[in-house]
Amino acid sequence: DIVMTQSPLSLPVSPGEPASISCRSGQSLLRTNGYNYLHWYLQKPGQSPQLLIYLASKRASGVPDRFSGSGSGTDFTLKISRVEADDVGVYYCMQDLQTPYTFGQGTKLEIK
Amino acid sequence: QVQLVQSGAEVKKPGASVKVSCKASGYSFTNYNVNWVRQAPGQGLEWMGIINPSGAGTSHGQRFQGRVTMTRDTSTSTVYMELSSLRSEDTAVYYCARGRQGVSGPNFDCWGQGTLVSVSS
């Protein structure tokens, strides 16, 4: 199984400040087609997860451009340019290069 | 709009089975795989398996080997996940999530509302 490791696990951020979450995979998620099979999800309190970024850097429909994803191979980053109160929740990375699909442990973002 | 609606909460005894449904609407049912993900109380997300509604092919995680069955009914655009030999560690919220179309589309772009399964004697 591909192990996904996120850091930090807890992220207190002041409104308007930037935030960054790292995700590392146990093996390269880059396929020969040029896509990295790494995705980012946000689970707001009491809600189902929602897709933010897919294939490492593509923003999902309706996601504000404050959110961006980058990285390739085994190292990936989710960045929020200016954190808002509505961004609180747990952020997960996930790989679907191969089954079983695996998630990172989650990063809990809270507002200072 | 694209929507996945799951069945309601269940309470089961150890050793029993549970069957959770996930009804799709707003898109062509047979064009997208459906995944099952679970989340134990206060814990992270765990992928369980995937079903292709077109051909009914399935794949699941090894830890669910022999205990999970995924099926679909194309006439009602519904997928089902049945988990047998339940134990207390299976207490969790179970989600269905739409899979990717092709190799470059979004994955898990729509999730059901979740179904709480509680296993207790």
Side-chain angles (χ1 to χ4, degrees):
Chain A
D1 298 3
I2 298 177
V3 176
M4 306 298 292
T5 304
Q6 289 183 227
S7 63
L9 299 185
S10 178
L11 184 57
V13 185
S14 298
E17 293 297 304
S20 179
I21 301 171
S22 169
C23 176
R24 289 186 172 174
S25 58
Q27 67 185 71
S28 176
L29 302 182
L30 178 63
R31 266 191 183 167
T32 54
N33 61 12
Y35 293 111
N36 284 279
Y37 284 79
L38 182 285
H39 320 284
W40 291 96
Y41 302 88
L42 164 60
Q43 186 173 31
K44 296 182 179 180
Q47 295 186 19
S48 302
Q50 60 188 81
L51 176 66
L52 294 175
I53 302 289
Y54 64 100
L55 298 175
S57 60
K58 297 177 180 292
R59 236 182 336 267
S61 176
V63 174
D65 58 9
R66 300 183 292 106
F67 292 88
S68 64
S70 62
S72 184
T74 60
D75 291 320
F76 301 90
T77 303
L78 175 71
K79 292 184 178 178
I80 310 173
S81 59
R82 298 173 308 280
V83 169
E84 297 182 358
D86 189 50
D87 300 336
V88 297
V90 182
Y91 291 78
Y92 295 94
C93 60
M94 185 199 82
Q95 68 79 22
D96 66 345
L97 177 73
Q98 65 186 49
T99 59
Y101 300 161
T102 46
F103 292 87
Q105 318 97 299
T107 295
K108 187 173 185 178
L109 185 147
E110 61 177 35
I111 300 295
K112 282 184 185 175
Chain B
Q1 76 280 22
V2 175
Q3 203 172 3
L4 296 173
V5 178
Q6 299 182 222
S7 48
E10 303 262 13
V11 179
K12 295 293 182 180
K13 293 195 182 301
S17 297
V18 68
K19 191 171 186 177
V20 179
S21 69
C22 171
K23 182 174 176 59
S25 62
Y27 70 95
S28 179
F29 176 66
T30 54
N31 283 0
Y32 295 80
N33 293 336
V34 175
N35 296 271
W36 289 93
V37 175
R38 75 177 184 179
Q39 185 171 39
Q43 302 300 307
L45 302 171
E46 178 180 28
W47 181 81
M48 297 181 67
I50 186 171
I51 181 168
N52 178 339
S54 178
T58 64
S59 175
H60 56 268
Q62 270 295 111
R63 62 178 287 161
F64 302 104
Q65 184 71 29
R67 288 210 301 143
V68 69
T69 304
M70 291 170 285
T71 56
R72 96 302 191 210
D73 182 344
T74 56
S75 69
T76 60
S77 299
T78 302
V79 297
Y80 301 89
M81 186 283 299
E82 183 170 21
L83 189 61
S84 61
S85 303
L86 289 169
R87 32 209 190 229
S88 59
E89 310 90 87
D90 294 317
T91 293
V93 175
Y94 289 76
Y95 295 100
C96 58
R98 189 173 77 161
R100 176 188 300 108
Q101 184 179 45
V103 299
S104 61
N107 204 2
F108 292 53
D109 64 339
C110 179
W111 293 65
Q113 82 276 22
T115 297
L116 174 62
V117 175
S118 301
V119 182
S120 173
S121 54

